[in-house]
């Protein structure tokens, strides 16, 4: 069966540009999560969705970051006016439901802001 | 604030040896402790997980030891193999919580 997929796999952009990162969760998974992995760092929680709602956005670093989920499936993470410190691997995960269900991760999008 | 501290940052083990990675947490509300394995260019994958009602969990060559009073848990990889070379992350979350709090990761290299 298909796992979590993310696109693009790599993105190079110029400082100040907007970028959109896409996540396709495992079919039937109601919960979806975004994490950020900076070089040499652990994974940092950004936001999670239950269905199309985002009960916890506490990890979004600034108002330049936003995310949405439509149809209880695909999610898009948008970074506006990118900065060099936004360079990282953005990982998406999904789980069947909430409450400590196993989270299955995608391969990530490697973002480089020049 | 780093809620889960992981050590060492990197580890080199001979083939057949035991790899040990340690984590300590601060939030006593945490009650689920997974370990993830990540290969280069891939997303993390769940390796093994434990809840605080047991002190040890073993799956094949992988064992989690848990010390609730010390707020520490560790991953032991027995008979380490070159194919185990990867980055390992400990994590934690609380009951009815959803976001995993990760340690900084340990880069394991198993020499053949």
């Amino acid at each position: 069966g298909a796992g979590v997929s993310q696109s693009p796999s790599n993105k190079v952009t110029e400082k100040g540009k907007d970028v959109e990162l896409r996540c396709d969760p495992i079919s039937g998974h109601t919960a979806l999560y975004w994490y950020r992995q900076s070089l040499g760092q652990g994974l940092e929680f950004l936001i999670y969705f239950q269905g199309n709602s985002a009960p916890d956005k506490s990890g979004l670093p600034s108002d330049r970051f936003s995310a949405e989920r439509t149809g209880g499936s695909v999610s898009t993470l948008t970074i506006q006016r990118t900065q060099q410190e936004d360079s990282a691997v953005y990982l998406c995960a999904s789980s069947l439901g909430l409450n400590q269900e196993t989270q299955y991760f995608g391969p990530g999008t490697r973002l480089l802001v020049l | 604030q780093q809620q889960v501290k992981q050590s060492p940052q990197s580890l080199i083990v001979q083939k057949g040896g035991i790899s040990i990675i340690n984590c300590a947490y601060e939030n006593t509300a945490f009650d689920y402790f997974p370990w993830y394995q990540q290969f280069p260019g891939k997303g993390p994958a769940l390796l093994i997980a434990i809840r605080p009602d047991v002190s040890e969990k073993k799956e094949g060559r992988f064992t989690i030891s848990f010390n609730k009073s010390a707020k520490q848990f560790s991953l032991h990889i027995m008979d380490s193999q070159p194919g185990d070379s990867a980055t390992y992350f400990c994590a934690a979350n609380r009951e009815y919580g959803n976001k995993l709090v990760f340690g900084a990761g340990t880069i394991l290299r198993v020499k053949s």
Side-chain angles (χ1 to χ4, degrees):
Chain A
V4 177
S5 60
Q6 294 185 244
S7 61
S9 54
N10 292 281
K11 177 72 176 179
V12 181
T13 190
E14 295 180 347
K15 177 182 174 182
K17 299 286 189 182
D18 298 350
V19 295
E20 285 189 353
L21 312 179
R22 177 187 169 107
C23 172
D24 284 88
I26 294 172
S27 177
H29 281 194
T30 63
L32 184 148
Y33 314 80
W34 284 98
Y35 294 86
R36 179 169 71 174
Q37 184 175 22
S38 301
L39 186 63
Q41 301 294 315
L43 284 73
E44 172 191 15
F45 169 81
L46 298 178
I47 185 171
Y48 89 85
F49 291 88
Q50 174 58 28
N52 294 333
S53 300
D56 189 347
K57 306 178 183 179
S58 63
L60 294 177
S62 73
D63 59 7
R64 297 187 295 104
F65 287 73
S66 63
E68 65 175 10
R69 189 180 185 194
T70 55
S73 181
V74 172
S75 176
T76 303
L77 178 69
T78 300
I79 309 173
Q80 296 179 310
R81 305 181 302 282
T82 52
Q83 303 295 310
Q84 290 182 332
E85 60 262 30
D86 299 334
S87 296
V89 177
Y90 290 82
L91 289 158
C92 174
S94 69
S95 66
L96 270 173
L98 301 180
N99 194 23
Q100 301 174 349
E101 292 277 356
T102 299
Q103 295 185 20
Y104 297 86
F105 283 82
T109 293
R110 285 151 190 78
L111 174 66
L112 178 60
V113 182
L114 300 176
Chain B
Q1 180 185 6
Q2 186 180 7
Q3 295 193 56
V4 179
K5 295 183 179 180
Q6 183 172 346
S7 63
Q9 285 185 311
S10 62
L11 181 62
I12 300 175
V13 174
Q14 291 288 338
K15 179 182 176 182
I18 302 173
S19 303
I20 302 174
I21 304 171
N22 300 299
C23 284
Y25 63 98
E26 300 169 3
N27 189 343
T28 55
F30 289 150
D31 67 348
Y32 175 68
F33 304 90
W35 284 88
Y36 279 80
Q37 179 188 54
Q38 185 179 30
F39 293 105
K42 305 291 186 181
L46 178 67
L47 188 62
I48 186 172
I50 197 169
R51 297 182 190 274
D53 52 343
V54 296
S55 60
E56 185 176 283
K57 183 175 182 180
K58 183 176 181 180
E59 291 184 0
R61 296 184 295 109
F62 300 93
T63 299
I64 300 179
S65 297
F66 185 83
N67 186 329
K68 187 174 182 178
S69 61
K71 293 187 287 185
Q72 295 176 346
F73 58 110
S74 60
L75 176 69
H76 291 62
I77 305 174
M78 311 300 288
D79 186 27
S80 299
Q81 299 297 310
D84 297 331
S85 297
T87 301
Y88 292 81
F89 294 96
C90 61
N93 79 354
R94 56 180 177 82
E95 188 178 17
Y96 303 110
N98 299 287
K99 57 185 178 184
L100 289 169
V101 179
F102 283 86
T106 296
I107 301 171
L108 171 65
R109 179 186 167 203
V110 181
K111 296 174 67 175
S112 56

